[in-house]
């Protein structure tokens, strides 16, 4: 199953819960882009330096789990679960993700993991590029206002003191960047089913996806 959509839709939580309910694996491809971005920043490479970033890729050792209950992401053996969600990484991740060498490199890994059995794979280009033959493609969206307020609560719960206007502007900027890049932009696949979660909570979104999954057998 492919689950795509912009930031702040509850996509990750919904996908993980759907995977657990279906006894399937769960792959968070956004976390993979975040790990590469963290490595780029740690190495002191400018995220806009396409060649510098491409040259770093072969040396990267990272692991992204597929057990929905055990989401421990590592870089060079170190747990980076917290640092990949930092403001620094979030600010730089779209630029690193627009780099075609990064996309090509991660595509291979994502397709390998996605092909290893029943999987829920979440991202921006899963239904269009990574798994165009997925049995079910979901495009999860919500109004910009609701997405900003969800992200605002998430950031607040993580112990930071966000400003709603700043969070909203950052979300709009990232989605705009992701939607307008040349390679594998964020878009719904032609055969994706759009779920608008503006008025749905997590449980209702999960239920909506599970109903569609049951219909597909
Ligand atoms: O899902 P998450 O917000 O963690 O994704 C972080 C970033 O990774 C996105 O804003 C996007 O730039 C990139 N991404 C991508 N393709 C994917 C998943 C994520 O370009 N399949």
């Amino acid at each position: 199953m492919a689950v795509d959509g912009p930031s702040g839709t509850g996509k990750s939580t919904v996908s993980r819960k759907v995977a657990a309910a279906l006894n399937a694996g769960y792959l968070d491809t956004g976390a993979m882009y975040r790990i590469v971005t963290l490595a780029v920043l740690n190495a002191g490479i400018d995220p806009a330096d396409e060649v510098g970033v491409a040259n770093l890729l072969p040396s990267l050792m990272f692991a992204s789990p597929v057990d929905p209950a055990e989401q421990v992401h590592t870089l060079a053996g170190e747990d980076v679960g917290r640092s990949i969600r930092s403001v620094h990484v979030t600010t730089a991740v779209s630029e690193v993700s627009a780099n075609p060498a990064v996309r090509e490199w991660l595509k291979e890994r994502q397709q390998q993991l996605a092909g290893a059995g029943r999987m829920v794979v979440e991202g921006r280009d899963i239904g269009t590029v990574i798994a165009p033959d997925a049995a079910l493609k979901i495009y999860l969206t919500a109004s910009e206002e609701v997405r900003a307020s969800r992200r605002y609560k998430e950031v607040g719960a993580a112990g930071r003191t966000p400003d709603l206007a700043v969070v909203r502007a950052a979300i709009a900027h990232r989605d705009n960047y992701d939607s307008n890049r040349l390679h594998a932009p964020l878009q719904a696949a032609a055969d994706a089913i759009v779920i608008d979660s503006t008025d749905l909570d997590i449980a209702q979104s999960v239920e909506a996806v599970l109903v569609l999954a049951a219909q597909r057998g």
Side-chain angles (χ1 to χ4, degrees), residues 22-23 32 63 77 81 112 123 137 184 186:
L22 296 176
N23 216 0
M32 298 170 100
Q112 236 168 36
K137 298 180 186 178
L186 163 65

Side-chain angles (χ1 to χ4, degrees), residues 76-147:
E78 202 183 306
D79 183 346
V80 291
R82 261 181 81 84
S83 38
I84 59 171
R85 310 282 164 199
S86 71
V87 178
H88 288 315
V89 168
T90 302
T91 306
V93 69
S94 284
E95 196 155 28
V96 172
S97 307
N99 184 324
V102 173
R103 301 209 73 82
E104 223 18 70
W105 195 74
L106 283 180
K107 180 179 173 182
E108 210 174 288
R109 279 153 190 77
Q110 289 169 3
Q111 288 185 328
Q112 236 168 36
L113 290 165
R118 282 156 50 79
M119 291 285 293
V120 176
V121 185
E122 178 226 320
R124 302 291 189 290
D125 63 340
I126 310 307
T128 50
V129 176
I130 302 301
D133 298 328
L136 176 61
K137 298 180 186 178
I138 304 288
Y139 189 83
L140 192 61
T141 187
S143 73
E144 192 183 297
E145 193 183 345
V146 161
R147 294 191 290 110

Side-chain angles (χ1 to χ4, degrees), residues 49 56 61 116 125:
D49 174 3
L56 178 73
M61 298 273 293
D125 63 340

